[in-house]
Amino acid sequence: MKKSEIGSAVSAIILISGYGTNLQAIIDEINKNLLPIRIISVLSDNPQAYGIERAKKSGIPTKIIDYHGFRDKTDFHQAMEENIKKLGPDLVVLAGYMRILSEDFCHQFRGKILNIHPSLLPKFRGLNTHQRVLDSGDEFHGSTVHFVTSELDSGPLVLQYRTRIRPTDDPKTLTQRVQLGEYQIYPLVIRWFAEGILKMVEGKAVFMGKKITKPKILEET
Ligand code: GRF
């Protein structure tokens, strides 16, 4: 049995749609005994998601609920969310999951869903963030881990990775640099949650008993 399967206090389900490099970073930290969570399932809406292979290689149960196999979006959301509820995780981790969750689900799992978004939120919610930040002429870019609420990319912010934009940057170089930061901040925030030092209380992120009014920042070194 791999370390990522061994029992621990916090059970997590990870939702993916794609390549799964953030999922891999999380699995690697678990296997180094640095992240006290147990991944009980990796769920994907996309049958082609390479992250499914990564999970299988680590002996983690996987499930594909193919978005395109449903005529009605609502039926898809229901199937995905029923599956999560059946497993009853302590934490739901969105790691490159390209679908939204229903309002009801966000409400029911309030304070138990984390997401990583490739921008310095609240700037650049939505898609295509790397090109949009280049077009904006901003000095910095990065990625944000936040609690999920029913409003897209708008839940309480926890931790950001920040990198200075270089004159030579293009969307590809920015993606690579931002993602290297994601592999540091996402496992760290999940660890805080698993250790019980990060919570969502009355709609705010609270770290070690203090409300996070401005997201914490990890600068690129
Ligand atoms: C990440 O850049 C994350 O910020 C965004 O989607 C991307 C997922 O990449 N939400 P991967 O599937 O983890 O490689």
Side-chain angles (χ1 to χ4, degrees), residues 81 101-108 150:
E81 293 170 6
L101 295 165
S102 75
E103 209 174 319
D104 268 6
F105 183 85
C106 291
H107 190 71
Q108 201 176 329
S150 53

mmCIF file of all heavy atoms in Angstrom, residues 81 101-108 150:
data_model
loop_
_atom_site.group_PDB
_atom_site.id
_atom_site.type_symbol
_atom_site.label_atom_id
_atom_site.label_comp_id
_atom_site.label_asym_id
_atom_site.label_seq_id
_atom_site.Cartn_x
_atom_site.Cartn_y
_atom_site.Cartn_z
ATOM 1 N N GLU A 81 -21.756 15.552 -7.884
ATOM 2 C CA GLU A 81 -21.887 15.960 -6.478
ATOM 3 C C GLU A 81 -22.422 14.820 -5.611
ATOM 4 O O GLU A 81 -21.986 14.659 -4.465
ATOM 5 C CB GLU A 81 -22.745 17.225 -6.404
ATOM 6 C CG GLU A 81 -22.000 18.399 -7.053
ATOM 7 C CD GLU A 81 -22.830 19.652 -7.255
ATOM 8 O OE1 GLU A 81 -23.984 19.696 -6.788
ATOM 9 O OE2 GLU A 81 -22.316 20.590 -7.890
ATOM 10 N N LEU A 101 -19.274 24.213 -9.424
ATOM 11 C CA LEU A 101 -20.061 23.376 -8.507
ATOM 12 C C LEU A 101 -21.378 24.106 -8.240
ATOM 13 O O LEU A 101 -21.423 25.340 -8.265
ATOM 14 C CB LEU A 101 -19.289 23.181 -7.200
ATOM 15 C CG LEU A 101 -17.977 22.404 -7.334
ATOM 16 C CD1 LEU A 101 -17.110 22.584 -6.098
ATOM 17 C CD2 LEU A 101 -18.235 20.925 -7.604
ATOM 18 N N SER A 102 -22.438 23.343 -7.965
ATOM 19 C CA SER A 102 -23.737 23.993 -7.774
ATOM 20 C C SER A 102 -23.752 24.814 -6.482
ATOM 21 O O SER A 102 -22.959 24.558 -5.555
ATOM 22 C CB SER A 102 -24.849 22.950 -7.732
ATOM 23 O OG SER A 102 -24.820 22.279 -6.492
ATOM 24 N N GLU A 103 -24.672 25.755 -6.433
ATOM 25 C CA GLU A 103 -24.800 26.613 -5.253
ATOM 26 C C GLU A 103 -25.100 25.774 -4.007
ATOM 27 O O GLU A 103 -24.519 25.989 -2.947
ATOM 28 C CB GLU A 103 -25.936 27.592 -5.516
ATOM 29 C CG GLU A 103 -25.746 28.882 -4.788
ATOM 30 C CD GLU A 103 -26.810 29.892 -5.173
ATOM 31 O OE1 GLU A 103 -27.153 29.985 -6.371
ATOM 32 O OE2 GLU A 103 -27.282 30.583 -4.264
ATOM 33 N N ASP A 104 -25.978 24.817 -4.187
ATOM 34 C CA ASP A 104 -26.355 23.936 -3.061
ATOM 35 C C ASP A 104 -25.161 23.190 -2.508
ATOM 36 O O ASP A 104 -24.969 23.089 -1.298
ATOM 37 C CB ASP A 104 -27.340 22.857 -3.562
ATOM 38 C CG ASP A 104 -28.759 23.314 -3.388
ATOM 39 O OD1 ASP A 104 -28.945 24.483 -2.999
ATOM 40 O OD2 ASP A 104 -29.666 22.500 -3.665
ATOM 41 N N PHE A 105 -24.360 22.675 -3.440
ATOM 42 C CA PHE A 105 -23.188 21.897 -3.012
ATOM 43 C C PHE A 105 -22.193 22.800 -2.266
ATOM 44 O O PHE A 105 -21.675 22.438 -1.214
ATOM 45 C CB PHE A 105 -22.512 21.256 -4.231
ATOM 46 C CG PHE A 105 -21.346 20.386 -3.852
ATOM 47 C CD1 PHE A 105 -21.546 19.068 -3.480
ATOM 48 C CD2 PHE A 105 -20.056 20.888 -3.847
ATOM 49 C CE1 PHE A 105 -20.478 18.261 -3.108
ATOM 50 C CE2 PHE A 105 -18.979 20.098 -3.480
ATOM 51 C CZ PHE A 105 -19.200 18.787 -3.112
ATOM 52 N N CYS A 106 -21.964 23.984 -2.838
ATOM 53 C CA CYS A 106 -21.031 24.923 -2.190
ATOM 54 C C CYS A 106 -21.520 25.261 -0.793
ATOM 55 O O CYS A 106 -20.726 25.427 0.142
ATOM 56 C CB CYS A 106 -20.878 26.203 -3.008
ATOM 57 S SG CYS A 106 -20.024 25.934 -4.557
ATOM 58 N N HIS A 107 -22.830 25.350 -0.660
ATOM 59 C CA HIS A 107 -23.400 25.681 0.630
ATOM 60 C C HIS A 107 -23.203 24.519 1.610
ATOM 61 O O HIS A 107 -22.741 24.702 2.732
ATOM 62 C CB HIS A 107 -24.879 26.012 0.461
ATOM 63 C CG HIS A 107 -25.476 26.581 1.691
ATOM 64 N ND1 HIS A 107 -25.181 27.846 2.139
ATOM 65 C CD2 HIS A 107 -26.309 26.037 2.598
ATOM 66 C CE1 HIS A 107 -25.821 28.060 3.265
ATOM 67 N NE2 HIS A 107 -26.508 26.978 3.568
ATOM 68 N N GLN A 108 -23.520 23.336 1.128
ATOM 69 C CA GLN A 108 -23.423 22.159 1.985
ATOM 70 C C GLN A 108 -21.979 21.889 2.432
ATOM 71 O O GLN A 108 -21.738 21.447 3.545
ATOM 72 C CB GLN A 108 -23.959 20.954 1.219
ATOM 73 C CG GLN A 108 -24.368 19.827 2.118
ATOM 74 C CD GLN A 108 -24.988 18.700 1.303
ATOM 75 O OE1 GLN A 108 -25.619 18.932 0.261
ATOM 76 N NE2 GLN A 108 -24.810 17.490 1.755
ATOM 77 N N SER A 150 -20.137 29.937 -3.698
ATOM 78 C CA SER A 150 -20.854 29.723 -4.963
ATOM 79 C C SER A 150 -20.532 30.781 -6.023
ATOM 80 O O SER A 150 -20.849 30.598 -7.185
ATOM 81 C CB SER A 150 -22.364 29.655 -4.712
ATOM 82 O OG SER A 150 -22.761 30.770 -3.995
#
